[in-house]
Amino acid sequence: MMEEVHAHAGAVYLLSADRRVLEMAVIAGLPRSFAAPWERVPMTARIPVADAVRERRLVWVGGEEEMARRYPRVAVVLPYPFALAALPVATGSTVYGGVFLTWPGTRPAELSEREREQLAAACDRLALRLERGAGPRPSAPHQPEPAAAPAVGGVAGSLGALEAVRMAGRLPYGLCSLDAHGRVGFVNPAAAELLGVPADRLLGTPLWAAVPWLNDPVYEDRYRAALLSQHTASFVALRPPGEWLSFRLYPSRNGVSVRIGLARGMSGAGRAGAEADAGAGRAPAETPSRLVTIAQVLSLAGALTEAAGVQDVVQLVADEIAPTLGSQALVLLGSRAGRMHVLGHRGYPDPYVVERFDGMPLTEHTPGTQVLRTGVPAFLESAEQLEHLYPVRQATPDGFAAWAYLPLIASGRPVGTWVLAYARPHPFPAEERAVLTSLAGLVAQALDRALLFDAKHRLAHGLQEALLPHSLPSLPGIEAAARYLPATRGMDIGGDFYDLVPVEGMAAAVIGDVQGHNVTAAGLMGQIRTAVRAYTAVGQMPEEVMRRTNRLLIDLGSDLFASCLYLRIDPARRRAVLARAGHPPPLLRRPDGRVRVLDLAGGPLLGIDASAAYPASEVDLSPGSLLVLYTDGLVESPGVDFEDALADLGRRLGQAGDLPLDALADALVRHVANAEERIDDIALLLLRTRDG
């Protein structure tokens, strides 16, 4: 198959017995270590061979930028110029596995019709052979790495080969040959001398393993880049104590030839800058050795999974990515209703420079709108290039000199654009473009989750606000204040509720807590609150309101329970009648400052027993008396005894009880409002009687 289409590497995968995993059965043309991350591929994975098998179609990736855009997980590990085709191995009725093949990045960007036919026919032939041999299949054995090729100097019987060895030995610069696994198959005396390792210790050993000061992933990466892309690559390395050597790699389909020499004028250069410049073909400069290391990518991916909202993503990208890439500013753009929206930005001294683009129609001809519409990245290396391609930007300078506009695509759809701005003109070589596009894939996934999180957050707050009273009514003889704090875990929504209802010269108050901190709990809370209002409006007494509400909750068939405290205050008669369903007891502060816990009789939680009774209790309320109704989130916390917490609440109420009610409410919730984490919702309702 490889020979027919002139591919330089390929691999065959077979489906596991449970048909959930693709297992690599054989690989050719590349070291198996190159494909180590994909030895076993889940069928659900977003990589080419899994897509090809799952969707039973040819998957073609024409180059590094397309790979970075469509398959960032592959591009991050292999950010080199190469093309790839993946196909299923299947008959009409059975899928056996898949195949991928790779080509150097210099080949045409599209497969010809003839190549497609040849690949499809080869896969069909392979599927038929597998069908004939169908049956229980043991796990694919590990394919051993082939032994190193013998040194050229050891080949006998060939006058031409011997003369080639003699000629290489006379050259003043070093030469060595590496096989597809990086092992030395030939080395001339000059190379052994430059490397400082005897030739017999080099032969048959990977170069970076035999030479201690070359044991750096950066150097092996240049070899991988050359072998996979079939492009000449180079780097410089410091031979201790202070001699710089240059390495130039000339790849072929079966290995790499390396020329080694002294790198002149490098004694004062930093190793990192020299490596980067040599790899990019530039003079030494103050640039990092690699844009992003594998460790940085893994760290970034882990950090992005922790970003909750959009602003978290913006901050993380600003703190951890932009400095690594040498960028001085960034913007995250999104779209809504055909207009561009600025989701966040960092690094711009004047925020208006960015925010003036918020709300711009996507039909405008600017790089931001263009990338949002098309999903194609734009790399603008200078202000002149920007002004030439987008004349409208001449009227809106932002003070920067180069820009990368990267589409953020998640699950095959655009979610935004990531803009990186540079203070000076900045070239974007192919490898850097691939890295940036790969990173954009990670940022896109995080941004997609963050947009969904923010949308749910807005929904939660909107629902909570709709279900709780917007304000408390002004009632004769009663002052009231309330507070609600959602749990910091989950969706910032819960089942805690309160209400205050006027009833013919009196007031009815209710506070309750439905299990859970989610939309279901909030919805049930809304139904309970509505039911209590309805039963109150028809004049039901407290014990009857609780009994009917309990019956309603059971009739709704919900699996959730609720605690509740309901009371009716008659200011004229200076008394209150209370009914309780498994709820924490209220506190009563007398005008003289004494605080009492009203541990009244009550019934079980609502929603448990359809025949439960909820006896009412009567409490005297002289003018200036203060009732404190609350949910358990105010007094319960891990490791704290409930009785101790309740006593502490009583002490604080006794000390601050003469404050205006709003100030008192703030004082009572302050210690939990400032906590970094609240595991439960908190509702608080304060009622104070007064004359008149």
Side-chain angles (χ1 to χ4, degrees):
M1 188 187 302
M2 289 166 56
E3 288 296 331
E4 283 184 341
V5 293
H6 307 293
H8 79 286
V12 177
Y13 286 82
L14 297 178
L15 270 171
S16 61
D18 60 6
R19 307 189 70 78
R20 296 170 58 186
V21 175
L22 290 166
E23 299 175 335
M24 185 182 290
V26 65
I27 187 170
L30 286 175
R32 199 176 184 95
S33 60
F34 275 34
W38 306 289
E39 284 268 1
R40 288 172 52 83
V41 177
M43 279 291 289
T44 56
R46 282 283 297 144
I47 71 168
V49 69
D51 282 359
V53 175
R54 190 172 57 250
E55 299 167 16
R56 297 192 68 165
R57 65 178 179 88
L58 167 69
V59 173
W60 170 251
V61 183
E64 63 197 319
E65 291 190 18
E66 185 179 359
M67 181 69 77
R69 185 170 65 253
R70 294 173 56 191
Y71 300 102
R73 287 173 55 185
V74 177
V76 165
V77 179
L78 301 174
Y80 316 124
F82 69 99
L84 180 144
L87 301 93
V89 175
T91 61
S93 59
T94 306
V95 178
Y96 292 96
V99 170
F100 79 74
L101 297 96
T102 65
W103 291 260
T106 52
R107 67 147 288 134
E110 295 294 336
L111 279 174
S112 68
E113 194 60 36
R114 176 178 171 78
E115 288 173 322
R116 290 172 179 266
E117 292 171 356
Q118 289 173 319
L119 289 173
C123 287
D124 288 344
R125 292 194 300 271
L126 178 55
L128 288 173
R129 292 191 182 191
L130 289 169
E131 186 178 51
R132 294 190 193 107
R137 179 175 69 85
S139 298
H142 178 71
Q143 185 181 350
E145 299 282 11
V152 174
V155 177
S158 171
L159 182 61
L162 292 174
E163 184 56 30
V165 171
R166 295 191 189 103
M167 179 191 73
R170 293 191 293 266
L171 293 174
Y173 47 80
L175 287 177
C176 69
S177 174
L178 309 180
D179 68 7
H181 303 276
R183 296 173 296 208
V184 179
F186 167 81
V187 59
N188 72 351
E193 183 177 354
L194 286 167
L195 295 172
V197 179
D200 59 347
R201 284 175 48 194
L202 289 167
L203 294 174
T205 306
L207 184 60
W208 35 89
V211 183
W213 45 272
L214 284 179
N215 190 15
D216 187 314
V218 170
Y219 307 133
E220 185 178 355
D221 179 73
R222 302 310 303 165
Y223 171 77
R224 289 158 60 95
L227 193 62
L228 191 58
S229 68
Q230 295 291 291
H231 287 177
T232 301
S234 60
F235 63 89
V236 295
L238 178 64
R239 182 187 67 187
E243 190 73 44
W244 288 93
L245 300 184
S246 68
F247 295 76
R248 193 157 184 84
L249 288 67
Y250 300 88
S252 69
R253 292 182 61 183
N254 55 9
V256 173
S257 298
V258 183
R259 173 174 168 165
I260 308 171
L262 295 174
R264 304 297 179 185
M266 293 293 295
S267 58
R271 168 182 167 179
E275 289 165 359
D277 296 328
R282 301 188 301 266
E286 294 180 1
T287 55
S289 61
R290 289 185 59 77
L291 283 170
V292 182
T293 66
I294 294 298
Q296 286 173 310
V297 169
L298 293 175
S299 174
L300 168 64
L304 284 170
T305 62
E306 298 174 2
V310 170
Q311 292 310 309
D312 294 336
V313 175
V314 174
Q315 192 63 50
L316 190 145
V317 172
D319 292 344
E320 298 199 23
I321 306 181
T324 303
L325 302 174
S327 168
Q328 284 71 50
L330 68 93
V331 186
L332 284 183
L333 301 172
S335 64
R336 186 168 61 247
R339 293 182 177 272
M340 183 167 66
H341 286 273
V342 177
L343 301 175
H345 58 85
R346 296 290 187 276
Y348 289 85
D350 181 4
Y352 175 71
V353 168
V354 177
E355 292 166 2
R356 62 190 166 183
F357 292 103
D358 193 63
M360 174 181 286
L362 292 181
T363 53
E364 292 286 332
H365 186 60
T366 68
T369 55
Q370 178 94 359
V371 173
L372 267 172
R373 282 199 316 269
T374 65
V376 177
F379 299 95
L380 304 169
E381 301 182 356
S382 66
E384 291 76 18
Q385 186 179 10
L386 174 68
E387 292 168 2
H388 174 71
L389 295 173
Y390 301 94
V392 69
R393 279 296 305 272
Q394 294 184 43
T396 58
D398 59 13
F400 291 95
W403 303 263
Y405 287 80
L406 304 162
L408 300 177
I409 299 173
S411 302
R413 57 186 178 80
V415 296
T417 297
W418 175 23
V419 185
L420 288 167
Y422 299 80
R424 294 186 296 274
H426 184 89
F428 295 95
E431 183 175 350
E432 182 172 350
R433 294 184 183 207
V435 170
L436 290 174
T437 313
S438 299
L439 289 175
L442 295 176
V443 174
Q445 296 294 332
L447 181 61
D448 193 34
R449 292 192 302 271
L451 289 168
L452 181 60
F453 176 88
D454 285 350
K456 288 182 176 179
H457 198 264
R458 289 192 298 271
L459 171 65
H461 277 277
L463 179 59
Q464 195 81 63
E465 290 176 3
L467 294 175
L468 292 174
H470 294 283
S471 61
L472 297 176
S474 178
L475 302 173
I478 296 176
E479 291 180 76
R483 295 292 183 269
Y484 173 81
L485 297 174
T488 55
R489 294 180 182 176
M491 290 180 60
D492 282 2
I493 188 171
D496 288 19
F497 65 97
Y498 62 87
D499 204 356
L500 183 62
V501 185
V503 185
E504 298 179 355
M506 297 185 292
V510 63
I511 192 165
D513 181 1
V514 179
Q515 279 179 281
H517 316 109
N518 51 40
V519 173
T520 303
L524 190 60
M525 172 266 282
Q527 290 176 300
I528 293 175
R529 178 171 168 249
T530 301
V532 169
R533 270 187 166 258
Y535 298 142
T536 299
V538 297
Q540 298 288 343
M541 297 303 292
E543 59 270 30
E544 188 64 17
V545 170
M546 296 297 283
R547 191 184 68 79
R548 287 177 175 269
T549 305
N550 175 57
R551 184 69 202 184
L552 171 69
L553 189 56
I554 291 174
D555 290 344
L556 289 173
S558 171
D559 294 329
L560 301 180
F561 308 129
S563 70
C564 190
L565 176 66
Y566 178 87
L567 60 90
R568 186 168 295 178
I569 300 176
D570 186 344
R573 298 179 60 189
R574 300 181 178 181
R575 70 169 192 163
V577 180
L578 302 88
R580 186 160 69 105
H583 199 80
L587 299 181
L588 172 63
R589 185 183 189 273
R590 297 292 186 184
D592 59 7
R594 290 180 301 157
V595 176
R596 173 188 167 199
V597 177
L598 299 179
D599 195 5
L600 310 171
L605 293 170
L606 302 177
I608 293 179
D609 181 3
S611 61
Y614 299 92
S617 301
E618 188 170 312
V619 177
D620 292 330
L621 295 177
S622 56
S625 296
L626 174 65
L627 278 170
V628 178
L629 317 181
Y630 56 92
T631 56
D632 54 11
L634 184 65
V635 291
E636 288 186 350
S637 57
V640 178
D641 182 76
F642 176 80
E643 297 297 334
D644 292 341
L646 191 59
D648 180 64
L649 177 62
R651 281 192 297 272
R652 288 186 285 119
L653 177 62
Q655 294 166 2
D658 292 327
L659 291 173
L661 278 196
D662 279 321
L664 176 60
D666 291 336
L668 294 180
V669 301
R670 185 173 296 121
H671 73 291
V672 287
N674 295 332
E676 291 186 4
E677 186 173 273
R678 289 188 300 276
I679 62 174
D680 201 358
D681 314 310
I682 296 167
L684 174 69
L685 179 60
L686 305 180
L687 302 169
R688 179 184 281 159
T689 58
R690 62 188 180 188
D691 289 324

